[in-house]
């Protein structure tokens, strides 16, 4: 339920918003429980997005990990660390090898800063960015061949990536849901 700018707004809140819409139904006072907890509670309504947002979750979550590693740092600082630039450089080289693209000689730190400036986010903190703006940022990085996961499952060197194809959510993320649905269908058949 955390909103942009809230103290609790972070990677979990953004990732939840990616898949579902969450609304508060009512608050429940801590005195309603025995023994009473230290905090008040809330009943929430969770509704899956229909249609779901199509995004490669590994890419998305890789971006979120960098942005919310220190959510109160500016994105310029988050993308300027040695570890982040090294990982992005390795992923970029892998992407270039997979797509047959000649790698740029521009340092990754400069490329990342250009992307942030293009989106107007260099001096912005992750806690102040909404879902749509994160999508814009991911798209801008991807346009320049910068990816946040190493490569797609089953991709082989020399395979061409289809730039026009929409990113896909890995169906394995929903494996438990599929199993539960099959079990429910099986229960109905037994009746």
């Amino acid at each position: 339920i955390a909103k942009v700018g809230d103290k609790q707004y972070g990677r979990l809140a953004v990732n939840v918003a990616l898949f579902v819409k969450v609304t508060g139904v009512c608050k429940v006072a801590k005195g309603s429980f025995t023994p009473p907890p230290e905090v008040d509670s809330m009943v929430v309504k969770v509704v899956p997005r229909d249609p779901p947002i199509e995004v490669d979750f590994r890419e998305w979550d890789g971006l979120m990990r960098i942005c919310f590693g220190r959510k109160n740092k500016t994105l310029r600082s988050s993308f300027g660390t040695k570890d982040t630039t090294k990982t992005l450089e390795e992923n970029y080289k892998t992407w270039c090898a997979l797509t047959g693209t000649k790698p740029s000689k521009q340092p990754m730190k400069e490329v990342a800063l250009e992307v942030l400036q293009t989106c107007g986010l260099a001096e912005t903190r992750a806690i102040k960015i909404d879902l749509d703006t994160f999508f814009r940022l991911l798209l801008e990085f991807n346009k320049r061949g910068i990816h946040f996961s190493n490569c797609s499952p089953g991709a082989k060197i020399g395979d061409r990536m289809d730039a026009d194809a929409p990113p896909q959510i890995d169906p394995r993320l929903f494996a438990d849901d599929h199993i539960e649905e099959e079990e429910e269908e099986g229960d109905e058949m037994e009746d």
Side-chain angles (χ1 to χ4, degrees):
I1 290 190
K3 303 286 183 221
V4 176
D6 288 352
K7 182 179 166 185
Q8 297 83 8
Y9 186 72
R11 188 171 139 228
L12 177 62
V14 175
N15 284 343
V16 166
L18 183 64
F19 295 107
V20 298
K21 293 180 182 178
V22 181
T23 53
V25 175
C26 65
K27 292 187 178 187
V28 181
K30 56 186 163 191
S32 301
F33 300 96
T34 304
E38 298 291 319
V39 295
D40 289 333
S41 300
M42 179 180 283
V43 175
V44 295
K45 179 180 178 182
V46 179
V47 179
R49 289 188 178 272
D50 186 27
I53 296 174
E54 292 187 20
V55 65
D56 179 333
F57 185 74
R58 290 177 303 150
E59 278 286 302
W60 174 263
D61 196 49
L63 174 64
M64 293 302 103
R65 286 174 187 270
I66 293 169
C67 292
F68 284 102
R70 301 288 297 247
K71 67 182 180 182
N72 288 315
K73 278 179 119 179
T74 64
L75 292 189
R76 174 195 295 266
S77 297
S78 295
F79 280 90
T81 67
K82 287 180 186 178
D83 288 339
T84 298
T85 54
K86 180 181 175 198
T87 299
L88 294 179
E89 182 75 35
E90 289 170 0
N91 290 350
Y92 175 68
K93 287 178 181 176
T94 300
W95 178 83
C96 287
L98 287 170
T99 60
T101 304
K102 184 179 178 186
S104 168
K105 298 206 183 292
Q106 186 178 15
M108 185 54 60
K109 190 172 184 176
E110 288 179 20
V111 175
L113 182 57
E114 275 181 17
V115 170
L116 294 172
Q117 289 172 335
T118 297
C119 293
L121 297 171
E123 300 305 322
T124 305
R125 300 174 196 295
I127 195 168
K128 301 289 185 185
I129 302 174
D130 65 12
L131 194 67
D132 292 337
T133 306
F134 278 123
F135 272 112
R136 219 179 66 225
L137 182 61
L138 180 62
L139 180 63
E140 192 62 37
F141 272 113
N142 287 176
K143 282 182 188 175
R144 297 175 192 229
I146 300 172
H147 294 271
F148 298 92
S149 62
N150 205 324
C151 61
S152 299
K156 297 176 187 73
I157 292 178
D159 284 355
R160 285 264 188 230
M161 295 177 72
D162 184 0
D164 294 331
Q168 299 295 314
I169 296 174
D170 188 342
R172 292 175 290 180
L173 290 172
F174 303 103
D176 292 344
D177 296 341
H178 183 66
I179 292 169
E180 288 174 10
E181 288 172 7
E182 287 177 358
E183 287 174 358
E184 288 174 8
E185 288 173 10
D187 290 345
E188 289 173 8
M189 289 181 174
E190 290 176 9
D191 291 339

